[in-house]
Amino acid sequence: MSPQRSATPTRPPARRLEVTDVIVVERKKMRTALNGAFVGNFMEWYDFGIYGYLAITMHHVFLSGFGESLGLTLALLGFAVSFLVRPLGGLILGPIGDRVGRQKVLYFTMAIMAAATALIGMLPTAEQLEGWWGPGTGVWVIVPLYLLKMLQGFSTGGEFAGASTYVAEFSPDRSRGFWASMLNTGSYLGFAAGASVVAITTVSVGPDAMLDWGWRIPFLIALPLGAIAIWFRMRIPETPSFEAAAETENAYTDPRDPRVRHGLGGLVRYYWKAILIGIAIVAAEGTAGYALTSYMPTYLENEVGVSNLQAAVATIPVLVVMSLCLPFIGKLSDRIGRKPVYFIAVGSTLALMVPAFAILQIGEEWAVFVALAMVAIPVAFYVAMTASALPALFPTPSRFGGMGLTYNIAASLFGGTTPLFANLLVDATGNKFMPAFYIMFFSLIAGVALLAMAETGKRPLLGSVPTVSSKEEAQQLVDGQDANPFIDTNTMPLPVLFAAGKTGE
């Protein structure tokens, strides 16, 4: 999907940019917006972290009546089922965000996520249920567990799509990769926080108490964390790009014009190429990312013989270091472009994944640490790009809906199901390297898709006016617009064009 579109006969005539047209986002306002998006993603991945590291505990607490193998599969299915409803959240919340604004939807998704996570910590165990209702009834606890995981999935269907859209629209064009990469810094720090809470709780209360009542603590901590996140979300402003597009949305009627807002049908019809490219990239990112974060605890315990606590101790520093590297990778993409960084991600996945799983088989703490660090390298190059490259595939009036559709389809089918499918592949083949081959397969597909993706670095977002960080930069951009290949006013919602469109009717 090219970010520059030539004029069509039905569009009003283009004009030169003026300084007053350019959006200037001051650093203080940018930080406020970023903090609001950051805490939400932190909270979302905190939940993934605690459930991923408590998957075997969840099996014993809720699903022991199903037997060892089936019970563990059902515990991992609880993780996957939340992803299966993510497209529904994206399909509903994305278009709403394009209609009423990003900030309102982000506030809503945060409240649902915090409540659902805390409620999991209040569920009765299978043993308690049988004590109340009689033998054999404990298996029914799986119903409220899955329903709450589905509620989480619905909220996250709008959460990441909305947060990445929000941060991308607030970021200056020349530094969007840097600012947007911090969103996933929050994501993986949230996962590391979840793993840390599980590890600290396990050490503090002991393994027996952990199975009895200690497992509830990480889930209940979601209540105060959620309250803090909601407070931040209440303070964030709406994006200037959305407000500018909303003011002029009735001026354009050509459905091919990037200033026209589309529902789901229009998105699929006019932006199907962008959707397919995005799905391929997110599938590659998701399989690698969720293998590192959500599947590794189960794999290490079942296939390598490493305890849950040892896995957490090895994973936490890897995730923290990886998270802190993301802004540097984002800054690199501002310099060399998004596509070259994505190709680094693809190449490092193909080169490192099999050696990493080979080193895992050693089973020593140092080997686990080294192997996880190797897996984290391609993950870092993928996730650093997500919030800057993917929103740029879609025009501003339809960006939230496009991201909600694209990201959640891929995350649901290929990302969140990674722990389940990887475990099934190992069980079916007896080959402990199957997760590596699974991850590499999707990176190959992403590499092919990248060939069809247009470079979006250093450019205004499609359907938006330029965004800069100072008035001086705005003046420089306007003065040099004739020689700037990234400026195309035919795709920008300029107020004078609105008036021209009206008088031409």
Side-chain angles (χ1 to χ4, degrees):
M1 197 69 223
S2 174
Q4 273 71 47
R5 309 281 291 267
S6 59
T8 64
T10 59
R11 294 179 186 168
R15 68 156 170 84
R16 289 171 55 84
L17 275 174
E18 299 176 4
V19 174
T20 53
D21 298 324
V22 181
I23 296 172
V24 179
V25 179
E26 298 176 357
R27 186 172 289 266
K28 181 179 179 180
K29 196 171 184 181
M30 180 68 227
R31 286 175 177 164
T32 300
L34 182 63
N35 287 339
F38 181 99
V39 294
N41 264 38
F42 181 95
M43 179 69 199
E44 177 186 351
W45 278 71
Y46 171 83
D47 169 68
F48 293 154
I50 58 179
Y51 194 88
Y53 277 92
L54 288 174
I56 292 179
T57 301
M58 295 291 96
H59 160 221
H60 292 299
V61 169
F62 292 120
L63 305 164
S64 58
F66 291 94
E68 191 68 26
S69 179
L70 179 59
L72 179 58
T73 298
L74 291 174
L76 294 175
L77 183 61
F79 184 83
V81 75
S82 66
F83 281 81
L84 295 178
V85 298
R86 282 185 70 151
L88 180 62
L91 292 175
I92 294 175
L93 298 175
I96 292 176
D98 283 328
R99 188 176 300 113
V100 305
R102 287 57 164 129
Q103 188 268 350
K104 296 181 178 65
V105 174
L106 288 175
Y107 173 82
F108 176 73
T109 58
M110 191 68 269
I112 294 178
M113 169 60 77
T117 303
L119 285 172
I120 291 177
M122 301 177 188
L123 287 176
T125 66
E127 183 179 354
Q128 288 174 326
L129 214 58
E130 291 187 356
W132 300 338
W133 293 351
T137 59
V139 296
W140 290 103
V141 76
I142 196 174
V143 175
L145 175 64
Y146 279 11
L147 287 175
L148 288 172
K149 293 300 293 180
M150 291 170 69
L151 189 60
Q152 288 178 331
F154 180 84
S155 68
T156 55
E159 170 60 37
F160 186 78
S164 57
T165 295
Y166 184 85
V167 172
E169 291 181 352
F170 239 110
S171 302
D173 298 331
R174 293 172 60 181
S175 57
R176 181 169 294 113
F178 170 74
W179 288 106
S181 66
M182 293 187 187
L183 187 63
N184 267 329
T185 297
S187 300
Y188 281 86
L189 287 178
F191 194 97
S196 300
V197 169
V198 170
I200 292 170
T201 305
T202 302
V203 171
S204 301
V205 306
D208 292 337
M210 194 69 182
L211 285 173
D212 187 22
W213 55 268
W215 63 270
R216 299 182 185 274
I217 295 175
F219 288 102
L220 294 176
I221 288 176
L223 277 178
L225 288 179
I228 294 171
I230 290 170
W231 182 81
F232 272 102
R233 286 279 167 91
M234 291 175 66
R235 298 176 66 236
I236 62 175
E238 188 53 79
T239 70
S241 294
F242 171 80
E243 292 176 334
E247 289 176 0
T248 61
E249 67 174 320
N250 295 324
Y252 311 104
T253 57
D254 182 357
R256 295 166 295 177
D257 194 310
R259 295 165 292 191
V260 171
R261 177 163 57 86
H262 289 289
L264 294 175
L267 276 167
V268 173
R269 180 176 179 181
Y270 296 104
Y271 296 96
W272 60 269
K273 182 179 176 182
I275 291 170
L276 292 178
I277 291 171
I279 287 175
I281 294 172
V282 176
E285 171 202 319
T287 50
Y290 287 111
L292 173 66
T293 56
S294 301
Y295 177 59
M296 279 302 178
T298 301
Y299 181 87
L300 288 171
E301 189 162 348
N302 280 359
E303 309 301 332
V304 183
V306 174
S307 72
N308 189 285
L309 181 59
Q310 287 177 301
V313 169
T315 304
I316 292 167
V318 170
L319 292 179
V320 170
V321 172
M322 186 193 83
S323 300
L324 297 178
C325 289
L326 298 185
F328 296 98
I329 299 174
K331 187 178 284 289
L332 176 66
S333 78
D334 287 327
R335 184 170 301 171
I336 68 174
R338 316 292 188 230
K339 290 180 68 173
V341 174
Y342 267 136
F343 278 120
I344 293 173
V346 172
S348 57
T349 300
L350 300 178
L352 296 176
M353 210 54 61
V354 170
F357 273 79
I359 294 174
L360 275 180
Q361 308 311 314
I362 297 173
E364 300 290 337
E365 189 72 24
W366 68 266
V368 173
F369 181 82
V370 170
L372 293 180
M374 292 171 68
V375 175
I377 291 172
V379 173
F381 282 98
Y382 272 124
V383 301
M385 295 295 94
T386 306
S388 58
L390 294 181
L393 294 172
F394 302 98
T396 299
S398 307
R399 182 167 295 121
F400 199 153
M403 276 293 296
L405 175 66
T406 302
Y407 188 87
N408 289 302
I409 287 177
S412 299
L413 295 179
F414 310 113
T417 57
T418 294
L420 176 64
F421 286 144
N423 191 64
L424 290 175
L425 285 170
V426 172
D427 287 345
T429 65
N431 187 337
K432 296 182 179 182
F433 288 86
M434 287 304 295
F437 300 142
Y438 186 75
I439 296 166
M440 292 163 65
F441 171 76
F442 285 101
S443 274
L444 279 173
I445 294 176
V448 175
L450 285 170
L451 298 175
M453 187 180 86
E455 179 57 61
T456 58
K458 302 179 183 178
R459 296 159 171 79
L461 291 169
L462 183 61
S464 291
V465 295
T467 302
V468 299
S469 56
S470 69
K471 293 180 180 178
E472 293 76 17
E473 187 180 346
Q475 184 65 60
Q476 292 173 4
L477 186 147
V478 169
D479 292 343
Q481 63 183 292
D482 293 329
N484 191 334
F486 303 145
I487 300 299
D488 178 7
T489 56
N490 284 298
T491 69
M492 298 177 184
L494 300 174
V496 172
L497 292 186
F498 177 74
K502 283 296 188 183
T503 58
E505 290 180 348

